[in-house]
C-alpha cells in the first residue's frame, strides 16, 4: 500500500514532461499517477501539418504509456476536484472512480473557443485536436471532389475558397500547409482549375506572427503570398456565415470553408474546482503552487504563472509548459525532501513556425532562420520530443520519405460494415457533409 501519491491531471506537454521528470525519482512509498482523457499526448504545433496531409495523424501524437516507466497511467476524464478531502472524481472506461491524492498537479490545458464571433461555432472549423485536423483535411478533400462534379460556375468558385482566421503561429502554419496541399493534390482532380482555388488569411493585427521579430513576420508573409495566399492584416472578422466571413468594416470575404485558429477558453474543470482564477487560468504562486490551496499545483496553459525571469505572465505555449513542468518536478522533489522550493524563471529560447512543405521561420537563441533551415530545426525539435528510440526512428524515416512525395489524398471515412447499408437520405447527408 502506497502512503503518498502525486496525481497529475492532463497528459499534454506539461503533464507528460512532469511525469517523465518524476518517474522513478520519487522516494519509496510515493506513487505517481497520470490521468488524461486520451491515451496519447498531442503535439499541437504539428496539427497544421496533419491538416495539410504532409504528415499522418498518428505522427503528431505519442502514446502516454510509452513515456512512463514506473508511473501509473489512467485514461479518464477528471470531472471534479475536492481540495479539502484531497480526492478527485474521474470518469473512466470502467466507470466512475474516486482517486485520493497527497499532491495534485493540474495540467489540463485549455479548450478551443467557439463563441468568440456569431456563427463561428456553426460555420467554422476549429483546430485544436487531432480529430479537428483530420476533419478539416477530409472537408478539403470533399470540397475538391464536389468541385469536380459541379457545373455551376458560382458554386465552383464558392467551394474553392478557403479562409483561415488568425495570423498567429497556427494561422500561418495552416495557410501555408493548405496552400501546399491544394497545389500538390490538384493534379488528381483534373476538372478543378488552379484559378478556382484560393486561400485568404484574415488577421486583426498589423503584422503576422507578432511573437517573432518583425523581419520573420514579414518573411512569413512573403512566403505565403508567393504561394498565392491572400494575406489581409489589420482586418477584424465580425461574423461567420455559410457563405464566408463578414468583417467589422462591413466588407465580406466569400468562402465555403473557414478554418478557425483564434480563441481559446479555459477548461471547464478550472471553474468547477473553485480555485483562484485570473482570465480563466488558475493563479499560482512563484513556485507554481495554487494560491491558498495546499497540496495543489498548476502548470502549462491552465496556469496563470508569473515568470520570475522578467516578471511577465507566462504565455500559453509548449515551450513554457515544458519549462514549468521541469521547475515543478524540482520543487516537488525538494518539498518531499524537506528543502525549499524555487520560483519559476524561464528565459525564452525563441520561437518557430512551419509554413508548409520544407519552409519555416524561426528565432532560435536570437538567431533568425528562414526557409528550409528553420523547417529542419522545427522538425528536429518535435522529433526529439517523441518517446522511445523505435518511434523516433520510424517517424524520422516516414517524415524523410514524405518530404519527396505529394500529400496523401486518402479520404478516410471510418465507415463500419454495419453502417454501409444506410437509407438513401442518410447516405446523401454523409456525402454532402
Ligand atoms: C493548432 C495549435 C498550434 C500550436 N502551435 C504552437 C507552436 O507553434 N509553438 C508553441 O509553443 N505552442 C503552440 N501551441 C500551444 C501549445 O500546444 C500549448 O501551449 C501546449 O500544448 C500546452 O501544454 P499543456 O500541457 O498545458 O496543455 P495540453 O497540451 O493542451 O494538454 C492538456 C491535456 O489535458 C487533458 N485534459 C483536459 N481536460 C482533462 C480532464 N478533465 N481530465 C483529464 N484530462 C484532461 C487533455 O486531453 C490534454 O491531453 C499550439 C496550439 C494549437 C492548438
Amino acid at each position: 500500500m502506497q502512503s503518498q501519491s502525486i496525481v497529475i491531471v492532463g497528459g499534454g506537454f506539461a503533464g507528460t514532461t512532469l511525469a517523465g521528470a518524476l518517474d522513478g525519482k520519487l522516494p519509496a512509498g510515493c506513487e505517481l499517477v497520470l490521468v488524461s482523457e486520451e491515451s496519447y499526448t498531442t503535439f499541437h504545433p504539428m496539427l497544421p501539418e496533419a491538416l495539410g496531409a504532409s504528415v499522418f495523424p498518428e505522427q503528431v501524437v505519442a502514446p502516454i504509456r510509452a513515456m512512463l516507466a514506473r508511473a501509473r497511467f489512467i485514461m479518464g476524464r477528471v470531472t471534479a476536484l475536492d481540495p479539502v478531502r484531497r480526492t478527485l472524481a474521474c470518469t473512466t472506461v470502467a466507470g466512475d472512480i474516486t482517486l485520493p491524492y497527497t499532491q495534485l498537479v493540474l495540467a489540463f490545458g485549455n479548450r478551443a473557443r467557439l463563441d468568440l464571433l456569431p456563427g463561428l461555432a456553426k460555420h467554422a472549423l476549429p483546430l485544436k485536436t487531432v480529430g479537428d485536423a483530420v476533419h478539416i483535411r477530409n472537408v478539403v478533400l470533399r470540397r475538391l471532389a464536389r468541385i469536380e462534379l459541379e457545373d455551376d460556375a458560382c458554386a465552383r468558385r464558392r467551394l474553392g475558397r478557403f479562409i483561415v482566421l488568425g495570423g498567429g503561429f497556427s494561422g500561418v502554419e495552416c495557410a501555408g500547409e493548405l496552400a501546399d496541399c491544394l497545389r500538390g493534390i490538384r493534379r488528381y482532380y483534373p476538372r478543378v482549375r488552379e484559378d478556382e482555388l484560393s486561400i485568404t488569411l484574415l488577421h486583426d493585427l498589423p503584422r503576422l506572427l507578432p511573437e517573432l521579430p518583425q523581419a520573420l513576420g514579414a518573411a512569413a508573409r512573403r512566403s505565403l503570398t508567393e504561394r498565392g495566399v491572400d494575406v489581409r492584416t489589420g482586418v477584424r472578422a465580425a461574423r461567420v456565415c455559410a457563405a464566408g466571413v463578414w468583417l467589422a468594416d462591413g466588407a465580406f470575404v466569400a468562402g465555403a470553408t473557414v478554418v478557425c485558429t483564434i480563441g481559446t477558453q479555459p477548461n471547464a474543470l478550472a471553474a468547477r474546482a473553485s480555485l483562484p482564477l485570473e482570465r480563466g487560468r488558475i493563479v499560482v504562486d512563484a513556485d507554481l503552487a495554487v494560491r491558498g490551496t495546499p497540496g495543489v499545483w498548476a502548470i502549462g496553459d491552465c496556469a496563470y504563472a508569473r515568470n520570475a525571469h522578467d516578471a511577465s505572465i507566462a504565455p500559453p505555449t509548449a515551450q513554457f509548459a515544458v519549462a514549468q513542468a521541469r521547475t515543478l518536478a524540482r520543487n516537488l522533489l525538494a518539498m518531499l525532501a524537506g528543502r525549499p522550493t524555487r520560483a519559476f524563471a524561464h528565459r525564452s529560447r525563441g520561437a518557430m513556425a512551419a509554413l508548409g512543405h520544407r519552409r519555416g521561420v524561426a528565432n532560435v537563441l536570437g538567431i533568425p532562420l528562414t526557409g528550409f533551415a528553420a523547417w529542419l530545426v522545427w522538425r528536429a525539435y518535435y522529433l526529439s520530443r517523441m518517446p522511445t528510440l523505435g518511434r523516433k526512428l520510424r517517424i524520422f524515416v516516414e517524415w524523410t520519405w514524405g518530404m519527396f512525395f505529394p500529400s496523401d489524398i486518402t479520404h478516410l471515412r471510418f465507415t463500419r460494415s454495419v453502417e454501409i447499408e444506410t437509407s438513401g437520405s442518410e447516405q446523401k447527408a454523409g456525402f454532402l457533409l
Side-chain angles (χ1 to χ4, degrees):
M1 180 75 184
Q2 305 282 351
S3 54
Q4 292 199 71
S5 75
I6 296 179
V7 176
I8 303 168
V9 180
F13 276 94
T16 53
T17 305
L18 176 64
L22 291 178
D23 205 3
K25 297 201 183 77
L26 293 176
C30 188
E31 186 190 29
L32 180 63
V33 182
L34 173 58
V35 187
S36 200
E37 57 193 357
E38 303 288 0
S39 64
Y40 52 79
T41 191
T42 302
F43 289 28
H44 294 115
M46 293 197 72
L47 287 178
E49 295 183 62
L51 171 162
S54 49
V55 300
F56 289 107
E58 57 273 27
Q59 294 170 355
V60 300
V61 296
I64 294 175
R65 287 179 199 276
M67 298 178 179
L68 307 175
R70 291 198 215 155
R72 182 178 171 211
F73 174 64
I74 298 176
M75 189 175 83
R77 174 174 290 176
V78 173
T79 51
L81 313 175
D82 186 340
V84 178
R85 291 199 180 84
R86 295 205 178 197
T87 58
L88 43 90
C90 181
T91 302
T92 71
V93 281
D96 293 344
I97 58 170
T98 302
L99 272 178
Y101 66 82
T102 321
Q103 301 293 326
L104 175 66
V105 180
L106 304 175
F108 46 63
N110 56 27
R111 304 281 197 202
R113 182 164 175 198
L114 298 175
D115 61 354
L116 204 59
L117 301 175
L120 198 68
K122 186 163 179 205
H123 302 290
L125 307 170
L127 180 64
K128 175 73 182 169
T129 66
V130 187
D132 291 336
V134 175
H135 178 68
I136 296 171
R137 191 190 126 180
N138 281 345
V139 169
V140 171
L141 295 174
R142 273 202 299 266
R143 297 288 190 242
L144 269 82
R146 270 195 71 185
I147 300 173
E148 271 268 311
L149 299 168
E150 184 63 67
D151 292 324
D152 179 69
C154 274
R156 289 176 71 90
R157 260 201 310 280
R158 192 181 67 81
L159 289 164
R161 286 184 179 148
F162 297 85
I163 300 171
V164 176
L165 291 182
F169 286 110
S170 29
V172 297
E173 286 162 7
C174 257
E177 277 293 333
L178 263 180
D180 285 350
C181 173
L182 290 177
R183 199 178 47 191
I185 66 178
R186 202 179 55 78
R187 74 176 83 162
Y188 303 110
Y189 300 84
R191 288 195 69 232
V192 181
R193 294 196 317 271
E194 190 180 350
D195 63 358
E196 288 180 310
L197 301 175
S198 71
I199 301 164
T200 305
L201 184 149
L202 304 175
H203 184 48
D204 60 351
L205 296 177
R207 69 179 184 88
L208 299 181
L209 297 173
E211 303 85 349
L212 288 177
Q214 184 144 8
L216 292 180
R221 184 177 191 134
R222 262 195 317 277
S223 170
L224 293 177
T225 312
E226 276 164 13
R227 279 173 286 158
V229 178
D230 175 15
V231 178
R232 303 195 197 174
T233 46
V235 293
R236 186 174 282 273
R239 187 161 65 83
V240 183
C241 65
V245 177
W246 286 99
L247 303 181
D249 63 7
F252 183 68
V253 182
T257 314
V258 180
V259 178
C260 173
T261 68
I262 52 171
T264 54
Q265 65 180 350
N267 190 313
L269 186 57
R272 275 205 304 275
S274 312
L275 298 170
L277 298 180
E278 181 71 43
R279 287 176 225 156
R281 296 168 80 187
I282 302 163
V283 181
V284 294
D285 291 328
D287 63 355
L288 303 170
V290 176
R291 188 157 297 166
T293 319
V296 185
W297 312 74
I299 50 175
D301 283 5
C302 70
Y304 188 81
R306 201 166 283 283
N307 182 359
H309 172 69
D310 57 7
S312 64
I313 296 301
T317 64
Q319 182 186 153
F320 275 82
V322 167
Q324 287 172 8
R326 290 186 180 136
T327 300
L328 183 55
R330 280 195 296 273
N331 282 349
L332 285 168
L333 291 172
M335 187 205 63
L336 291 171
R339 287 184 276 113
T341 55
R342 277 196 271 165
F344 166 67
H346 177 68
R347 184 164 165 250
S348 172
R349 302 211 162 83
M352 44 194 173
L355 299 172
H357 297 191
R358 300 192 291 274
R359 294 181 181 90
V361 286
N363 181 28
V364 185
L365 300 170
I367 304 167
L369 296 172
T370 55
F372 186 58
W375 181 84
L376 262 191
V377 173
W378 160 273
R379 280 268 170 118
Y381 174 75
Y382 288 104
L383 191 63
S384 75
R385 298 218 29 101
M386 289 285 169
T388 75
L389 183 64
R391 192 173 175 83
K392 276 192 181 58
L393 273 176
R394 208 185 84 200
I395 290 184
F396 175 74
V397 170
E398 285 169 359
W399 280 358
T400 311
W401 183 261
M403 273 168 61
F404 301 103
F405 296 95
S407 305
D408 185 61
I409 55 161
T410 314
H411 177 180
L412 265 189
R413 286 160 60 85
F414 297 106
T415 311
R416 295 167 56 224
S417 297
V418 290
E419 294 163 348
I420 290 177
E421 297 300 333
T422 50
S423 71
S425 60
E426 280 167 330
Q427 276 190 11
K428 195 172 170 199
F431 278 116
L432 290 180
L433 268 176

